[in-house]
Amino acid sequence: MNRPIYVTKPFLPPLEEYTESLRKIWGSGILTNGGPFHDAFEASLAKHLGVEHVSLVCNATIGLILALQALRIEGEVITTPYTFVATAHSLLWTNNTPVFVDIDPVTLNLDPCQIEAAITPHTRAILPVHCYGNPCAVEQIQEIADNYNLRVIYDAAHAFGVEHRGQSVLKLGDVSVLSFHATKMFNTFEGGAIISPDAKTKRRIDKLKNFGFVSETVVAASGINGKMSEVSAAMGLLQLDYADHVRQRRQAVDARYRQGLEGLAGIEFLHYHADTTANFAYFPIFVGDDAPIDRDNLHDRLRQRNIFTRRYFYPIVPDLQIYKRFEATVGNQLSVARNKANQVLCLPIYPDLGDDEQDAIIANIRKAF
Ligand SMILES: *Cc1c(COP(=O)(O)O)cnc(C)c1O
């Protein structure tokens, strides 16, 4: 390819529409602290997602920290090794101990059958990730949480617009956290949102994201600055108008890959459950031992042709030096997560990806095989 193709390219609404919003911000002189765009986006987002209680935040990492703080989680938290580092980082920032449990080889999400073995008297919560926007085993996780009196905080960074049995996945568990980072399927430059189950939890989060201020002179907790600015909120409000278009384009790219790469020996795709309304946030392929080329060779070969795929998520979090000390708490071997991390390659997927560009990616993979 003459021009490099990256794994993603942020969707941007027409610039004229955004400058119109900027003009309003310049007019109001309100840049942050819950301005008009913040409030309008928060309300419209809730409606769009089919949820009630939304708190906008500056990014999902701070969002996870706020969620853990709001639910007063301190102890051991069961989480997945197959995720972006921010999931585990949020636990260290809140004085929690991550306990890594292996994933299911089909869903790539926390294996519900292995959670109970990792529960100790110190376990306070489960922090699963809807990896690639594919919903976790939500019913089984909730049952375990209910039996052991644990809270469930979903890292829903990938799960914008995803539904399980016709309902937003963001309604499940105690709290869910979305990311609106530039590389995610819905972006506000940087940003995120916390979905609470009730108004009381939302109010607590809204105070914590503003340093813990309850009133001008009273500070109830050591909160943080997690607020979303007006420029990000204005972007989010505009992006909502294009969210359906973005999803449809992504779905078309997903379908073209599945068709184009069909029949290659040793390649596997992510399969969505019949109960899932997917968002097509990622297109991971898994290059198995029976493939004629290994994952890293395929990655390098595509890179030589200006096609930049990503190994999300390699290495798994507990294999990072700073997380090695948590390996001792692991009862199982995390072999599924490690194996998948060695096989995964996320292919470029975004609304502007041209058919010709995608066909070139497919042709290059076929040739490599
Ligand atoms: C991107 C991502 C995050 C962090 O999101 P930010 O908004 O960049 O802080 C957290 N968890 C997962 C699974 C992610 O992919």
Side-chain angles (χ1 to χ4, degrees):
M1 303 301 296
N2 298 329
R3 273 195 304 159
I5 302 177
Y6 297 105
V7 73
T8 191
K9 185 175 163 197
F11 177 80
L12 295 168
L15 183 58
E16 312 79 69
E17 295 186 23
Y18 190 59
T19 51
E20 198 49 48
S21 302
L22 287 179
R23 223 179 292 285
K24 288 183 188 156
I25 293 172
W26 258 243
S28 75
I30 299 169
L31 307 187
T32 187
N33 285 12
F37 277 107
H38 172 281
D39 291 355
F41 177 40
E42 206 169 75
S44 297
L45 180 64
K47 216 164 140 189
H48 179 90
L49 296 172
V51 300
E52 267 184 274
H53 309 286
V54 173
S55 303
L56 298 175
V57 288
C58 56
N59 62 60
T61 308
I62 294 286
L64 287 166
I65 290 170
L66 282 165
L68 290 159
Q69 194 184 14
L71 297 182
R72 300 176 174 87
I73 307 296
E74 247 189 273
E76 292 175 5
V77 178
I78 291 169
T79 191
T80 171
Y82 190 81
T83 182
F84 184 59
V85 285
T87 313
H89 282 359
S90 73
L91 294 172
L92 300 194
W93 277 95
T94 49
N95 294 321
N96 284 292
T97 304
V99 174
F100 296 104
V101 165
D102 211 356
I103 58 168
D104 178 291
V106 175
T107 66
L108 292 317
N109 290 322
L110 211 48
D111 182 351
C113 301
Q114 298 194 42
I115 292 175
E116 279 191 84
I119 295 174
T120 76
H122 306 292
T123 310
R124 296 287 172 270
I126 308 172
L127 175 58
V129 178
H130 299 300
C131 195
Y132 308 126
N134 192 32
C136 293
V138 291
E139 282 95 3
Q140 281 163 283
I141 289 172
Q142 195 57 54
E143 197 180 317
I144 296 165
D146 291 344
N147 286 345
Y148 290 87
N149 193 24
L150 307 175
R151 313 305 291 270
V152 182
I153 297 115
Y154 280 111
D155 179 338
H158 304 172
F160 184 93
V162 172
E163 291 180 354
H164 173 70
R165 299 192 172 163
Q167 286 260 326
S168 171
V169 285
L170 306 170
K171 284 184 157 175
L172 303 164
D174 292 287
V175 198
S176 292
V177 180
L178 287 167
S179 171
F180 304 150
H181 184 260
T183 57
K184 304 298 202 273
M185 68 170 291
F186 181 95
N187 87 82
T188 60
F189 302 106
E190 291 262 7
I194 306 173
I195 289 75
S196 296
D198 51 57
K200 193 169 161 228
T201 308
K202 172 177 157 56
R203 276 198 300 276
R204 183 164 164 75
I205 287 167
D206 287 348
K207 285 182 197 110
L208 288 172
K209 79 175 186 184
N210 188 31
F211 311 97
F213 275 107
V214 173
S215 68
E216 240 176 78
T217 52
V218 180
V219 178
S222 58
I224 199 162
N225 182 356
K227 292 176 267 96
M228 180 182 278
S229 78
E230 287 291 273
V231 284
S232 283
M235 180 69 152
L237 195 58
L238 257 184
Q239 292 275 23
L240 283 180
D241 292 341
Y242 297 92
D244 290 341
H245 159 75
V246 167
R247 185 207 286 257
Q248 279 160 23
R249 277 296 306 141
R250 286 178 167 276
Q251 181 164 17
V253 172
D254 180 292
R256 199 176 185 91
Y257 274 136
R258 283 176 201 267
Q259 201 178 22
L261 298 172
E262 203 188 278
L264 288 182
I267 199 171
E268 280 198 50
F269 308 125
L270 181 63
H271 295 289
Y272 295 109
H273 195 271
D275 288 335
T276 300
T277 309
N279 63 2
F280 310 99
Y282 297 87
F283 196 85
I285 59 169
F286 299 88
V287 183
D289 293 337
D290 46 339
I293 183 167
D294 73 24
R295 189 274 311 270
D296 287 342
N297 274 326
L298 181 60
H299 170 265
D300 294 347
R301 214 179 139 114
L302 292 170
R303 193 169 54 184
Q304 282 160 15
R305 284 158 181 75
N306 247 349
I307 298 162
F308 294 84
T309 58
R310 293 299 296 267
R311 287 167 284 195
Y312 294 143
F313 291 100
Y314 169 84
I316 58 170
V317 177
D319 284 350
L320 296 169
Q321 194 55 44
I322 53 167
Y323 281 95
K324 288 229 161 112
R325 64 193 161 105
F326 297 106
E327 249 191 338
T329 61
V330 174
N332 53 46
Q333 295 299 308
L334 307 178
S335 57
V336 177
R338 211 167 267 125
N339 187 35
K340 290 296 172 186
N342 286 330
Q343 296 184 345
V344 71
L345 205 56
C346 283
L347 303 185
I349 184 167
Y350 49 86
D352 294 347
L353 185 65
D355 285 352
D356 52 335
E357 292 176 308
Q358 203 186 347
D359 290 346
I361 298 167
I362 291 167
N364 273 294
I365 294 172
R366 293 203 79 97
K367 209 166 129 200
F369 268 68

